[in-house]
Amino acid sequence: VIFGGAGPLHGAAIAREMGLRQILVPRHPGVLCALGCAVADVRHDYGQTLERTLPQTAGDAATALEATLREVFAGQRELGESQLERDAIATEGVRVQHLLEMSYVGQVHRIRVPVGSSAGFDWSIDQVAAAFAATYEKEYGVTLPENDVMIVNASTVVVGVRPQQREAEATSGGDGGGEPQPIGERSVCFEEWTPTPVYDRADLHPGTQFSGPAIVQQPDTTVLVEPAMDVLVDRHHNLLMELW
């Protein structure tokens, strides 16, 4: 997959050097990252260090820690939802994930344990301990039941879900199929100077096929199709370039 303003100029040469047969050029390669920022969900992360050891048994200490976690998570969620309102970006919903970064006492590495979602946090300490043990075993294949467990950080992820913006896919027929009409011609040096047709990307509809050498120009980049390459425009308007 080649993108960026200059990527489509060099993609064919790099593919040949690496022994790759097929190249995908997105519809808007020069602004692909900016387009992603414009349509991606909005995410805010919040964390607070606790460094609290899990009580071994139910009791006042466990009840107090549960209350602390509920308070911390509720506060983080409130911060995230308030920030989404200040962002003033259109969303169609909010998704929340609560996590605890935990370890056995004495360990320097931590694992992230999901402990609640959009419904909020209402777990007992026993449930937290069980979730940590299951996550640890999945990660490392063992547990250390003789060791105390520590909550290092409590974190919350608040996501404003953006409306899905899908570009219309072309159906069969219509303007697709056949070879496009060039808008001009240039002399390009592929080992030797070669007359090369120039196409406008806006004229390349799904189903269109042609072979290199060719130049495809568009406002955000220029695509260089080398000799001995075939091009097909797929239903998403990507250029699929295949080396012979």
Side-chain angles (χ1 to χ4, degrees), residues 13-145:
I14 292 173
R16 288 190 188 280
E17 185 171 338
M18 296 183 65
L20 305 177
R21 288 199 58 197
Q22 194 170 68
I23 303 166
L24 186 149
V25 186
R27 190 173 188 179
H28 307 290
V31 293
L32 194 64
C33 293
L35 181 63
C37 288
V39 302
D41 292 340
V42 184
R43 172 173 169 154
H44 297 288
D45 291 71
Y46 300 89
Q48 181 173 329
T49 299
L50 296 178
E51 293 193 345
R52 300 280 294 274
T53 302
L54 293 188
Q56 293 284 357
T57 59
D60 292 343
T63 301
L65 183 52
E66 290 165 2
T68 297
L69 292 175
R70 284 195 296 270
E71 181 180 357
V72 169
F73 284 137
Q76 292 175 340
R77 177 175 185 151
E78 183 178 351
L79 285 172
E81 292 177 341
S82 297
Q83 184 59 56
L84 287 176
E85 290 183 9
R86 290 193 296 272
D87 291 339
I89 297 174
T91 60
E92 59 183 13
V94 177
R95 187 171 65 246
V96 178
Q97 177 69 69
H98 299 305
L99 304 117
L100 292 174
E101 295 185 14
M102 304 176 66
S103 68
Y104 286 112
V105 172
Q107 293 181 330
V108 295
H109 57 274
R110 305 182 294 270
I111 58 175
R112 303 189 83 192
V113 182
V115 293
S117 58
S118 298
F121 175 80
D122 59 355
W123 288 35
S124 68
I125 293 303
D126 286 343
Q127 288 175 301
V128 170
F132 169 76
T135 304
Y136 194 96
E137 184 173 18
K138 182 178 179 181
E139 183 74 17
Y140 298 108
V142 298
T143 59
L144 307 174

